[in-house]
Structures are given as C-alpha cells and as structure tokens.
Amino acid sequence: MTLSACWGGNQGLTPHFDELSKKGLLFDNFYATGNRTARALEAVMTSMPPIPTESILKRDHSERVYTLANVLAARGYERLFMTGGRGLFDGVRSFMKANGFNHFIEQSDFKDPLFANAWGVSDEDLFRKALGELDQLHSNGRPFFATILTVSNHRPYTYPEGRIPDMEQTRNNAVKYADWALGYFFREAQSHEFYQNTLFVVMGDHGARVSGSQLFPMSSYRVPVLMIQPGGKGEGKRCSTLGCSLDIAPTIMGRLGSDYRSVFFGYDVLQADPQHGRAIMQHNHDVALLNSNNQMVVLGFGKSAEEFELNRANHQLDQQATPDQEMVHNAIALFQSAFELYYSDRWFPDLKAASQQEDDRT
C-alpha cells in the first residue's frame, strides 16, 4: 500500500514527510532487507546481508561487529543511539553499546513522558528529548552521529490526543501521528545550531507485516529514504537507482567524503551505475537478490533456487522456468560470505594492515 503522496499515494497520510521530501534527496527505489526493525538496524549499521531466520542482534557473536558507528568513532564522532522503547527488546542495547555507540538512551531515561503505550514513549517525547541531546553533543564541539528509533507506529496504534483530527486506533491514524511528530522534529530542529551542519537521513525500517502465501510481499518491502543535506544540496531531487538498507551506511560515507576502511557489502547508491542496482532481502526462511532488470532469485531450504520477474506495477512476482545460474551463484556468494565472516568473528576490516600501508606511503 502506498501511503506517501510523493510515492503516488492519495490518502493524505504523510503531508509532513511529503513536504520534507521537497527539501531533500528522495530515494524512491529502496527495499528493506527484512520485515522486522532488528533487520533494518542490522542492515543500516553493519551493511551485512541478512543471515536467514533471525537478526544478528539476537545471535551469539554479536559483540564484535564493525558498524557505521565504529567508522565514525575513528573520525572523532560522538555516537548516540536513542529509542523510545526498551533497550532489552531484540537485544538493541547490548548490540549498540558493544559495537560503536558510546551513548544510549531508552524508555527508562524519559522522566514523565507525555504519552506511552506498550511499545514505549510517543514519537514526540522521543524527538523532544532528542533535540536536547543533540544540542548537548553539538555544544561539546565534536561531530556526532545520532540514530533515533521511533516506536509509536505499532499496534495498538495509540497516540496523544489533539495531534491529528482522529483518535480511532487504526494503522492509518498511527501513520498520521508518526508523520505529525516527524514534522514537529524538523520544524523545531531548524532553529537549533546543529541543524545547518547536519546530514539527516529519514527512512522506514520495514512495511506492514504481511502474512499469507506470497513468497516475498514486495509492496511491503519497499521503504522510503530521504536525505536532507547541509546547504540544500540535492534539494527536490530523486534517485531511482535500485538499493536496499545495506546501502545506507556507504551512501552516508560518500556524502561525508574521505577514505575509510570497512567490510560493508553495500555501496554508495549515488555513485552506482543505475543499470547495476540490486537489493538483498530476507523473508521468513528465504533470502533473495533482486536486480535492476526486475530479475529476482530466491534461495530456500533444501538448496532450492527459483527465479521470478517483479512486476513493478502491482509488485507481484511471476515465476520463471529456469533460474539464471550466474545470478544464483552471486546470491549464494553474498549470503554465504556474510555467514562465514560473521561466525568466524571476521566482521572487522584489517585495520593493522591499513595502518601499515599508510606508514609505508609516508
């Protein structure tokens, strides 16, 4: 279901995001790597292809994983992770604190929030506190990297009164409230000193959970990504290169400039050939690779491999007679490499070798 007008939606659910999209660079061909928030956090932070069944946030070996926060720590950045929910949920607190973040704020850190439900404090409580935290980081004189995870847009779909016209507990109304809170944050942030020098990335972690017989519910996996850059760079533009959540970190680093060393599997979408875009996904026990020609290879249990053609108009998958073997091998290589690097504790770049190479050059 298309919710945003900037994507062709006509329900008027996200007027604030739609207005924000005019001030930034909108990526309109991005897909989530999974259908859980933990999968999005894994992908955005580590740029790692999703290992089947469960996110690494809830696996062993998760205390030594190279993340975007690690890259920025080496550049002297402060690293803040904020969530309106409980840090214990899906292992978020332990993973982030072990892998590059030196500040962590969760539901228990909010004193007398305006509103809370089973998932945590409201989006506006989270954004209001975030403004203060970002002011504090800015006042320290060091650059900062902050990740803000909202939780309001979940069942039972409750939110503070008086923010939107309706109080009926529906998903659409929860979307309207989440959009209202996003608008509040950016409206307020523009008057703060950190705003002019900050690169903002607004993204959806996944679509609505979908059950049923569909192998991959592609309409639910498509997510919005908006980048608002200092000085209005890219304002009002779109990037339609196929990408996925793995590409967020490399694309951010491309905007920040300078070399860096990592084990990221994603790429800078703004520098990529649009003809060679790809998205990497996981759904239940299956994993998939989609290319810019709408070919999609799905790997399943029992070493099964199937190919589909994605119909962009209705997001349906049409099965093909024989899978492209080169694409099958590429998909196997991606997911098998991620699995082996992770479980052999090699999800770190060889920083000693990089340092030695730098010494040799000087």
Side-chain angles (χ1 to χ4, degrees):
M1 179 170 60
T2 301
L3 301 178
S4 173
C6 62
W7 270 5
N10 57 8
Q11 300 181 70
L13 301 183
T14 60
H16 297 283
F17 179 82
D18 296 336
E19 191 63 28
L20 277 175
S21 69
K22 300 175 184 177
K23 300 179 180 179
L25 173 61
L26 181 67
F27 297 82
D28 59 11
N29 198 15
F30 256 63
Y31 287 83
T33 54
N35 61 355
R36 293 292 299 259
T37 297
R39 282 296 189 186
L41 293 173
E42 162 193 278
V44 172
M45 295 302 165
T46 73
S47 195
M48 176 191 295
I51 298 172
T53 70
E54 193 166 59
S55 164
I56 63 171
L57 271 66
K58 298 185 284 185
R59 293 174 182 254
D60 57 3
H61 294 256
S62 65
E63 70 283 352
R64 183 173 165 78
V65 183
Y66 204 68
T67 68
L68 178 57
N70 291 123
V71 174
L72 295 174
R75 295 190 177 190
Y77 278 63
E78 294 288 336
R79 291 88 58 205
L80 165 67
F81 190 97
M82 292 188 68
T83 173
R86 297 180 295 277
L88 184 65
F89 186 75
D90 277 351
V92 172
R93 184 200 308 119
S94 59
F95 182 86
M96 299 303 168
K97 293 182 73 172
N99 297 299
F101 285 91
N102 60 339
H103 305 278
F104 189 90
I105 292 176
E106 59 181 300
Q107 183 175 1
S108 61
D109 297 308
F110 290 78
K111 307 304 180 186
D112 300 320
L114 172 72
F115 185 89
N117 62 18
W119 288 93
V121 302
S122 69
D123 289 358
E124 62 189 276
D125 283 303
L126 177 64
F127 284 139
R128 185 176 296 110
K129 187 171 181 63
L131 289 168
E133 296 294 330
L134 299 183
D135 281 339
Q136 181 61 46
L137 291 174
H138 177 75
S139 69
N140 292 336
R142 297 177 62 187
F144 62 82
F145 167 52
T147 300
I148 304 172
L149 175 64
T150 65
V151 298
S152 284
N153 190 19
H154 291 85
R155 292 182 185 277
Y157 303 139
T158 56
Y159 44 88
E161 293 185 17
R163 303 306 187 260
I164 64 172
D166 303 309
M167 283 302 296
E168 185 180 0
Q169 294 174 214
T170 66
R171 177 171 175 263
N172 280 359
N173 283 343
V175 170
K176 289 181 182 179
Y177 170 71
D179 179 70
W180 178 91
L182 182 67
Y184 158 78
F185 173 76
F186 274 95
R187 187 169 59 252
E188 293 295 320
Q190 291 180 48
S191 64
H192 291 244
E193 290 185 2
F194 64 79
Y195 184 85
Q196 295 301 326
N197 296 315
T198 300
L199 170 68
F200 293 91
V201 178
V202 181
M203 64 171 292
D205 53 356
H206 59 84
R209 296 295 296 278
V210 176
S211 59
S213 60
Q214 190 174 4
L215 187 65
F216 264 83
M218 297 301 292
S219 61
S220 180
Y221 271 63
R222 188 173 174 227
V223 293
V225 178
L226 175 65
M227 182 177 287
I228 300 176
Q229 303 176 70
K233 186 176 181 180
E235 183 174 350
K237 295 184 178 180
R238 289 193 178 214
C239 174
S240 297
T241 301
L242 175 63
C244 65
S245 303
L246 269 65
D247 304 320
I248 297 294
T251 303
I252 288 173
M253 293 306 300
R255 309 288 69 70
L256 296 181
S258 189
D259 294 338
Y260 68 100
R261 195 172 180 87
S262 76
V263 286
F264 295 164
F265 274 56
Y267 55 69
D268 181 350
V269 176
L270 293 174
Q271 298 299 319
D273 183 347
Q275 299 301 314
H276 296 142
R278 59 95 186 92
I280 298 166
M281 291 167 277
Q282 172 271 340
H283 185 66
N284 297 331
H285 298 292
D286 299 318
V287 292
L289 173 64
L290 171 69
N291 69 19
S292 56
N293 295 321
N294 298 324
Q295 292 174 276
M296 183 166 171
V297 164
V298 177
L299 307 178
F301 273 143
K303 299 183 179 180
S304 67
E306 300 173 281
E307 182 179 332
F308 300 84
E309 181 178 357
L310 173 63
N311 185 322
R312 294 278 180 175
N314 60 17
H315 301 103
Q316 295 300 303
L317 294 172
D318 300 320
Q319 187 164 4
Q320 306 299 292
T322 305
D324 182 305
Q325 288 304 303
E326 181 179 1
M327 196 170 176
V328 169
H329 293 156
N330 287 341
I332 292 172
L334 280 168
F335 293 104
Q336 189 65 33
S337 296
F339 181 89
E340 293 184 4
L341 286 170
Y342 178 75
Y343 276 108
S344 62
D345 294 321
R346 289 185 292 157
W347 202 264
F348 261 70
D350 189 347
L351 297 176
K352 290 183 179 179
S355 178
Q356 183 61 51
Q357 290 174 3
E358 183 64 27
D359 291 342
D360 293 343
R361 285 197 293 268
T362 57

